[in-house]
Amino acid sequence: MLSEFLLSEMNRLGANDALPLHRQLYEALRRAMLDGKLGAGERLPSSRDLAQDLQLSRNTVVAAINQLSVEGYLASRVGSGTYVNDSVPRISPGRNGQRTAGWASAVPPGRLSARGLALTSRFCATDLEVQPFTPGIADFSAFPLTLWQRLQNKHWRMTYPDMLDYNTSGGYAPLRRAIADYLRVFRSVHLEADQVIVTTGTQQSLELCARLLADHGDTVWVEDPAYWGAAKAFMASGLAIHPVPVDDQGICPDMGDDTYPPKLIYVTPSHQYPTGAVMSLPRRHQLLANARRHGAWVLEDDYDSEYRFSGPPISSLEGLDTDGRVLYMGTFSKVMYPGLKLGYLVVPKTLVDAFKQAHYDLNRPGQMPVQAALAEFIEMGHFASALRRARQNYAERRQCLLEALKPVLSDARVGPSISGAEQGLHLCLRLPAHTDDKALAQRIAQQGLTVRALSAYCLQRSDLKGLVIGYGYAPLADIRRCGPLLAAAVQRELDAAAA
Ligand SMILES: Cc1ncc(COP(=O)(O)O)c(C=O)c1O
């Protein structure tokens, strides 16, 4: 019955569209869930049975199931199979042919599209409460606000009418020059200022890349575990996400499945988000060779490289690229403040005109007076001083957190370890694979602290457990006070696991 429905849906999709088979099956399964043919909580036939019934290869079936799991439609239960998630609403045909959600008899207003459901089914904004240890959040209290206000006032006073229009040239020229100078010296990026496109941040940079360099249904290889912001930008552009595992040397490009050749490969090589792994040199070369073999673009998200506390500086992946396939992106969210909404994308010379034009057509960029103030902030050395002060602050907080976690690390029974503490605003405390890290994060939240379960960032794998812990946001005194509470909660979990 189910296979008949899937086959007829696939026939329909295959006839009208040049969609690859795994994508047809993905669409057919999604339709089956939304139409209630596969209800919430229902178990999916095994991939082997589905492959046999539909006369497809097992790889094709597994790819479709993986994509639906990544998007939150399906969930695997260890040892018992794959189930339709409880959060998938049923949208069944109503009496007059119109579709209705669940058992309601009328079409509810404002219902989300299937894409909207996928985008909101995992990791939504309500999870993002900011308290001590929230990862990825900087401390804005130390930011030189008065100086910044003065600069902004000055540039608003000097503003001429053109500065109030949309911008067609990729951003305010002196800011693009300042960014290029910084990236050349500190990140070994090969670029000229004209290659810099000022965006409203990494999210917009990713959206531009997804829309201009890939088509609906194309595959993007994404690190597993992943930065959810990136995964969602790709989902919103209709790309198929293919998770590729990360280990302590970063993404393992040879574990990407060649059956799903990537159009894009998204990586955070300097400080993998969230594990903190630094991509090793051999892996960087392997990744670039793999990308070359597939004709894929590499998207390098260098989101927190300004904060490096120990070890040699890590150069950009772009610096190793010899054939112009890496697009490099950074953000001012971590050194200035996120609400500034400014970031940058460095594109190969051959793409500059297309990106500028599309950026104008799709985003109508502006904020020239703010960009002018930021250019002066950088040129006058204020950015470098703010960075120096922040780096020192975070280094102390990081050290204090490491001290607090020391007793936990000395627990030889299960061998917890820390990764990614050399850079950025968070570290990752790795816990044994049988730990319920989500429950642990919830228990810790009851004490007014926010840490994130490492497994919540996993797209497909189930072997990674741990806590992602931020040290940027809370002042040193709070880390001193709350660090031992955090360590004690982890210790209780380890004791329970060892009992
Ligand atoms: C991996 C990664 N990239 C990018 C960003 C944010 O960039 P933006 O604020 O410019 O969108 C974050 C924020 O935490 C991040 O973790």
Side-chain angles (χ1 to χ4, degrees), residues 383-404:
F383 183 80
S385 333
L387 184 52
R388 239 187 340 267
R389 274 195 307 276
R391 207 181 275 139
Q392 172 141 18
N393 265 338
Y394 298 144
E396 283 168 5
R397 294 171 192 195
R398 160 191 172 269
Q399 196 50 43
C400 182
L401 174 60
L402 286 172
E403 290 294 328

Side-chain angles (χ1 to χ4, degrees), residues 143-144 147-148 151 178 181-182 186 335-336 372-391:
F143 183 72
L147 170 68
W148 177 237
L151 272 180
D181 290 345
Y182 170 79
F186 292 102
V335 183
M336 301 290 285
L374 179 56
E376 184 170 340
F377 190 79
I378 299 173
E379 281 158 9
M380 300 302 287
H382 303 308
F383 183 80
S385 333
L387 184 52
R388 239 187 340 267
R389 274 195 307 276
R391 207 181 275 139

Side-chain angles (χ1 to χ4, degrees), residues 136 201-203 227 266 268 273 301 303 331 333-334:
T202 304
Q203 213 58 23
Y227 171 49
Y266 166 78
T268 46
Y273 195 86
D301 179 358
Y303 64 103
T331 178
S333 287
K334 311 278 182 199

Side-chain angles (χ1 to χ4, degrees), residues 107-414:
V107 180
R111 203 182 60 219
L112 294 178
S113 64
R115 176 170 34 207
L117 285 171
L119 281 170
T120 51
S121 65
R122 290 181 74 174
F123 236 85
C124 50
T126 47
D127 294 332
L128 300 178
E129 200 168 345
V130 177
Q131 303 186 114
F133 303 126
T134 307
I137 309 284
D139 175 11
F140 319 119
S141 64
F143 183 72
L145 256 189
T146 315
L147 170 68
W148 177 237
Q149 249 162 12
R150 215 180 316 123
L151 272 180
Q152 289 217 68
N153 290 343
K154 172 180 157 188
H155 283 276
W156 274 109
R157 273 197 309 275
M158 286 167 40
T159 289
Y160 47 93
D162 274 5
M163 295 278 279
L164 302 179
D165 202 351
Y166 297 128
N167 172 261
T168 53
S169 60
Y172 185 67
L175 178 60
R176 295 165 78 211
R177 277 199 296 276
I179 292 170
D181 290 345
Y182 170 79
L183 294 180
R184 216 176 284 120
V185 174
F186 292 102
R187 307 298 306 129
S188 313
V189 178
H190 298 121
L191 82 166
E192 285 166 23
D194 192 43
Q195 290 170 254
V196 177
I197 312 256
V198 179
T199 64
T200 56
T202 304
Q203 213 58 23
Q204 192 174 68
S205 303
L206 288 167
E207 280 164 18
L208 265 179
C209 294
R211 289 173 179 183
L212 291 184
L213 304 177
D215 289 311
H216 187 88
D218 278 346
T219 299
V220 52
W221 284 8
V222 173
E223 298 166 323
D224 190 6
Y227 171 49
W228 268 101
K232 291 204 170 182
F234 300 135
M235 279 159 70
S237 294
L239 305 191
I241 293 175
H242 178 67
V244 181
V246 164
D247 65 13
D248 59 1
Q249 293 185 58
I251 196 171
C252 309
D254 281 351
M255 291 178 74
D257 189 340
D258 278 1
T259 330
Y260 307 105
K263 254 300 172 41
L264 306 176
I265 304 177
Y266 166 78
V267 282
T268 46
S270 305
H271 191 230
Q272 201 274 330
Y273 195 86
T275 64
V278 175
M279 197 187 293
S280 66
L281 193 60
R283 280 286 169 81
R284 286 171 189 241
H285 286 297
Q286 203 180 344
L287 173 65
L288 291 172
N290 243 307
R292 209 170 295 127
R293 190 161 59 82
H294 288 295
W297 299 100
V298 177
L299 311 184
E300 176 175 14
D301 179 358
D302 204 18
Y303 64 103
D304 68 3
S305 57
E306 297 87 1
Y307 300 117
R308 178 126 197 107
F309 305 112
S310 63
I314 311 291
S315 298
S316 68
L317 177 67
E318 196 282 341
L320 294 177
D321 175 26
T322 50
D323 55 355
R325 64 179 63 251
V326 177
L327 287 90
Y328 174 97
M329 58 197 77
T331 178
F332 287 104
S333 287
K334 311 278 182 199
V335 183
M336 301 290 285
Y337 52 95
L340 179 65
K341 295 295 299 162
L342 283 177
Y344 44 87
L345 171 65
V346 179
V347 303
K349 283 191 178 138
T350 49
L351 297 180
V352 169
D353 288 342
F355 267 74
K356 273 191 203 166
Q357 184 191 324
H359 187 33
Y360 178 79
D361 286 339
L362 298 175
N363 303 322
R364 296 280 188 266
Q367 293 186 315
M368 287 296 112
V370 180
Q371 291 193 29
L374 179 56
E376 184 170 340
F377 190 79
I378 299 173
E379 281 158 9
M380 300 302 287
H382 303 308
F383 183 80
S385 333
L387 184 52
R388 239 187 340 267
R389 274 195 307 276
R391 207 181 275 139
Q392 172 141 18
N393 265 338
Y394 298 144
E396 283 168 5
R397 294 171 192 195
R398 160 191 172 269
Q399 196 50 43
C400 182
L401 174 60
L402 286 172
E403 290 294 328
L405 292 175
K406 243 185 201 160
V408 176
L409 293 177
S410 61
D411 188 322
R413 289 170 300 182
V414 281

